[in-house]
């Protein structure tokens, strides 16, 4: 149940440098998942209003594109400074709307800032290449040019970081940009855009439209949007990729995940337990890089089973703004009941519930949507639980006799966002790095999140597209190549 606040702020859109009241007919509550409090009302913006944002971005493009890259990055230096100064305020907003702890919120914002820093290198990163005398007296040059209007559609679980996988690179490359954040967590980006407003960007270069499917479809169908970046669940990622493609747009779509970690008997078990516990239960398991299935090999089975259950049972669950809280709620009542019913289904299919987080009651947070850490043992590799993205604080344990069998579990998965190995063997690590069927690999790492200067490399059903987010891939994605071949008559140069 939510506690309705009659005065809950009605959110606006940021279009053409103005905070604009939305004419949407449908609105949705933004709810603090720890307390049930309604924080704001978000407009589900319709296609006509999204079109106005696209037209504003299109009108701003010709002048922005002509602005030298060195000048285009100056607002980003200012943005970095403002994000640093306001990281606590942003972190609090993030925790209130998303539920993760204040420390997790601030850690996420550090990743956002890192992407702004990397995009400040665009004058170097955006350079092309050339060769003189490809034939006698003829020179050839590749130059990169921006695309025009580009848009990003982002999920609820990293409200502060994921928009910044795209925005800084897009505008530094000379594009104009529209963000459609998750309608469940629009407040962090509202604050970030208030900071962006102070950075001296010309109007229309960055725009923010709130909404859901109708706003997404409007971006996908409008002929002036040249490229779409999407992060969210796999069914929506596939839909966005297909519709963007059908409309002739460039698209990069990051989808869901089901991440495995393999624990070999020679791993440092204490370190492995601590790191895997943080990966599985941090952010209440609502990370696309959260470990969801732990595959123990040989005698690692018993040691790890006991140590992870013990570590998980000690985690302090509550309101992420309270001191000492290590894990917050899941995002909605629907999420909570979906996660709890998946635990129940796993149990019915023969898994043993070593630690049961269902029916959690948190003092002073009775209206919150909490699921406590849950550990399931003996999960059948062919069960629904082993294949389905749970997106909650649930770790499934499976056992393998050797590395071949363990790697076979990973091969079966439809997803390929991340795979991790815990070992002290260099050759096992090398084999894993070589063979594991995922785009982000961790060796004795629980959340293998690439730094901003590396691509965020999901594979299989975790990614649709060619160029990933962040770093050099972002520059490839947000530019198109033009090749110029030149010949100048000698007689002409002799005139001067
Ligand atoms: P979601 O797919 O429900 O929503 C993502 C975005 O798509 C939101 O902006 C939403 O408004 C929009 N959307 C939702 N349904 C739509 C529809 N039918 N048509 C058009 N647009 C639609 O995802 P979520 O629940 O916000 O986020 C969690 C998911 O995101 C998980 O599956 C998680 O694994 C994934 N994720 C992936 C990565 C990655 O890097 N691969 C990163 C973070 C999250």
């Amino acid at each position: 149940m939510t506690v309705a606040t009659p005065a809950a702020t009605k959110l606006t859109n940021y279009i053409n440098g103005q905070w604009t009241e939305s004419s949407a007919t449908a609105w949705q509550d933004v709810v603090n998942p720890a307390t049930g409090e309604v924080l704001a009302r978000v407009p589900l913006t319709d296609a006509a209003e999204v079109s106005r944002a696209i037209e504003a971005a299109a009108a701003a493009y010709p002048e922005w594109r002509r602005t030298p890259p060195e000048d285009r990055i100056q607002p980003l230096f200012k943005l970095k400074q403002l994000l640093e100064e306001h990281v606590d305020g942003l972190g609090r907003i993030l925790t209130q709307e998303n539920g993760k702890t204040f420390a997790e919120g601030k850690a996420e914002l550090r990743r956002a800032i890192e992407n702004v820093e990397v995009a400040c290198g665009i004058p170097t990163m955006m350079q092309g290449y050339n060769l003189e005398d490809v034939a006698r007296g003829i020179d050839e040059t590749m130059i990169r040019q921006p695309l025009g209007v580009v848009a990003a559609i982002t999920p609820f679980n990293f409200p502060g970081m994921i928009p910044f996988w795209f925005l800084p690179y897009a505008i530094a490359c000379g594009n104009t940009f529209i963000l459609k954040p998750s309608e469940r967590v629009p407040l962090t980006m509202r604050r970030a855009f208030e900071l962006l407003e102070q950075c001296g960007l010309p109007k229309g270069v960055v725009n923010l439209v709130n909404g859901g499917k109708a706003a997404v479809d409007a971006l996908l169908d409008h002929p002036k949007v040249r490229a779409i970046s999407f992060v969210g669940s796999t069914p929506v990622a596939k839909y966005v990729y297909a519709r963007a493609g059908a409309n002739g747009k460039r698209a990069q779509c990051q989808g869901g995940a089901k991440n495995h970690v393999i624990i070999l008997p020679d791993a440092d078990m204490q370190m492995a337990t601590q790191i895997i516990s943080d990966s599985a239960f941090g952010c209440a398991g609502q990370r696309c890089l959260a470990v969801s299935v732990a595959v123990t090999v040989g005698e690692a089975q018993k040691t790890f089973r006991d140590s992870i259950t013990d570590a998980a049972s000690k985690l302090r669950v509550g309101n992420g703004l309270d001191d000492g809280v290590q894990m917050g709620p899941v995002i909605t009542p629907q999420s909570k009941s979906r996660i709890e019913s998946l635990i129940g289904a796993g149990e019915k299919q023969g898994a043993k519930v070593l630690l049961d987080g269902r029916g959690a009651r948190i003092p002073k947070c009775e209206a919150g949507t909490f699921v406590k850490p849950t550990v399931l043992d003996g999960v059948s590799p062919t069960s629904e639980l082993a294949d389905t993205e749970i997106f909650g604080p649930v770790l499934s344990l499976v056992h393998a006799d050797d590395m071949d069998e363990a790697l076979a579990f990973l091969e079966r998965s439809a997803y390929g966002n991340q795979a991790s190995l815990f070992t002290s063997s260099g050759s096992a690590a090398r084999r894993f790095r070589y063979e594991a069927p995922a785009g982000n690999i961790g060796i004795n790492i629980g959340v293998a999140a690439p730094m901003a200067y590396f691509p965020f490399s999901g594979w299989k059903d975790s990614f649709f597209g060619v160029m990933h987010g962040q770093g050099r891939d972002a520059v490839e994605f947000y530019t198109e190549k033009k090749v110029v071949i030149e010949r100048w008559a000698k007689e002409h140069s002799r005139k001067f």
Side-chain angles (χ1 to χ4, degrees):
M1 206 186 86
T2 60
V3 185
T5 320
T9 318
K10 283 178 97 179
L11 298 181
T12 45
N13 293 322
Y14 186 71
I15 299 175
N16 206 25
Q18 297 281 328
W19 290 100
T20 313
E21 217 168 283
S22 176
S23 53
T25 50
W27 292 71
Q28 190 172 304
D29 287 348
V30 181
V31 179
N32 180 334
T35 62
E37 179 195 3
V38 176
L39 301 167
R41 306 257 306 143
V42 64
L44 301 180
T45 305
D46 64 19
E49 205 172 329
V50 173
S51 265
R52 284 204 286 284
I54 298 168
E55 292 301 341
Y61 175 65
E63 184 49 34
W64 184 241
R65 181 241 154 134
R66 282 172 172 73
T67 304
E70 184 59 31
D71 295 345
R72 292 199 300 251
I73 61 171
Q74 296 311 314
L76 293 178
F77 283 107
K78 177 91 180 146
L79 178 63
K80 173 197 156 54
Q81 203 54 45
L82 287 171
L83 289 171
E84 297 279 4
E85 283 165 21
H86 294 272
V87 76
D88 281 356
L90 277 162
R92 255 187 296 279
I93 294 170
L94 204 160
T95 293
Q96 281 174 342
E97 66 176 356
N98 168 279
K100 65 178 66 176
T101 67
F102 183 49
E104 288 169 339
K106 288 213 300 183
E108 153 175 3
L109 289 163
R110 289 247 56 85
R111 283 304 183 94
I113 292 169
E114 195 187 282
N115 276 283
V116 176
E117 290 166 351
V118 173
C120 287
I122 285 296
T124 307
M125 291 166 79
M126 201 178 156
Q127 288 175 16
Y129 47 85
N130 54 52
L131 187 68
E132 283 183 334
D133 293 319
V134 289
R136 201 169 281 271
I138 297 181
D139 305 329
E140 191 159 337
T141 307
M142 188 284 276
I143 51 182
R144 289 181 191 283
Q145 297 190 336
L147 303 171
V149 180
V150 300
I153 299 148
T154 54
F156 82 83
N157 65 328
F158 281 92
M161 174 182 73
I162 292 181
F164 284 96
W165 284 352
F166 309 113
L167 183 151
Y169 303 99
I171 64 171
C173 287
N175 303 282
T176 53
F177 184 80
I178 299 164
L179 174 68
K180 205 297 289 169
S182 166
E183 63 276 37
R184 286 183 260 175
V185 291
L187 296 171
T188 307
M189 276 303 117
R190 180 181 67 155
R191 183 70 191 121
F193 269 66
E194 284 171 359
L195 300 178
L196 266 163
E197 227 187 335
Q198 300 167 37
C199 294
L201 286 165
K203 60 182 189 167
V205 171
V206 293
N207 303 272
L208 171 73
V209 287
N210 288 297
K213 181 171 166 49
V216 172
D217 288 348
L219 292 167
L220 292 172
D221 291 345
H222 199 291
K224 287 190 184 162
V225 176
R226 295 285 321 281
I228 297 281
S229 302
F230 172 88
V231 183
S233 58
T234 290
V236 184
K238 275 187 180 165
Y239 163 78
V240 169
Y241 192 60
R243 192 151 168 173
N247 287 326
K249 299 184 198 313
R250 189 176 284 204
Q252 48 179 191
C253 298
Q254 299 182 215
K258 182 86 184 171
N259 303 309
H260 294 71
V261 59
I262 298 177
I263 302 128
L264 296 185
D266 67 358
D268 174 336
M269 218 44 86
Q270 206 184 342
M271 175 181 82
T273 302
Q274 195 193 330
I275 293 175
I276 294 169
S277 168
D278 176 59
S279 175
F281 307 117
C283 300
Q286 299 172 119
R287 268 195 291 229
C288 66
L289 297 179
V291 159
S292 173
V293 182
V295 188
T296 50
V297 174
E299 69 249 32
Q301 183 178 22
K302 180 169 174 356
T303 349
F304 182 73
R305 182 177 59 203
D306 295 347
S307 64
I308 194 73
T309 309
D310 183 50
S313 67
K314 289 183 177 145
L315 289 171
R316 219 182 123 205
V317 180
N319 185 333
L321 284 181
D322 290 347
D323 282 345
V325 164
Q326 293 162 298
M327 197 188 101
V330 297
I331 189 71
T332 55
Q334 293 78 7
S335 271
K336 176 178 158 77
S337 61
R338 188 183 49 78
I339 294 163
E340 292 186 338
S341 69
L342 277 165
I343 299 170
E347 200 176 15
K348 276 202 196 94
Q349 288 167 18
K352 190 167 166 209
V353 186
L354 299 180
L355 187 66
D356 192 346
R358 289 173 289 186
R361 292 260 166 274
I362 308 295
K364 292 193 279 176
C365 289
E366 284 76 12
T369 45
F370 292 90
V371 180
K372 284 190 172 178
T374 299
V375 181
L376 299 166
D377 193 20
V379 172
S380 155
T382 52
S383 67
E384 192 189 356
L385 203 64
D387 286 339
T388 311
E389 178 178 40
I390 301 173
F391 223 55
V394 181
L395 182 65
S396 300
L397 306 182
V398 299
H399 184 66
D401 287 337
D402 53 28
M403 183 93 154
D404 288 341
E405 199 188 333
L407 280 166
F409 286 133
L410 276 62
E411 284 294 347
R412 284 190 68 254
S413 176
Y415 299 103
N417 219 30
Q418 174 192 278
S420 295
L421 176 74
F422 281 76
T423 184
S424 53
S425 154
S427 66
R430 185 183 187 277
R431 177 179 175 200
F432 184 76
R433 192 182 72 192
Y434 197 86
E435 294 183 19
N440 299 299
I441 299 295
I443 309 280
N444 297 317
I445 297 284
V447 180
M451 301 296 281
Y453 28 88
F454 286 95
F456 196 103
S457 290
W459 280 14
K460 295 160 88 177
D461 275 2
S462 299
F463 181 70
F464 305 94
V466 179
M467 292 301 155
H468 297 273
Q470 302 196 141
R472 291 181 218 170
D473 271 32
V475 178
E476 282 286 337
F477 185 76
Y478 286 126
T479 56
E480 50 196 351
K481 300 182 190 81
K482 184 178 269 181
V483 177
V484 184
I485 306 177
E486 290 177 273
R487 167 170 35 213
W488 296 97
K490 272 191 196 143
E491 302 75 53
H492 186 73
S493 65
R494 280 194 199 111
K495 283 189 200 155
F496 301 100

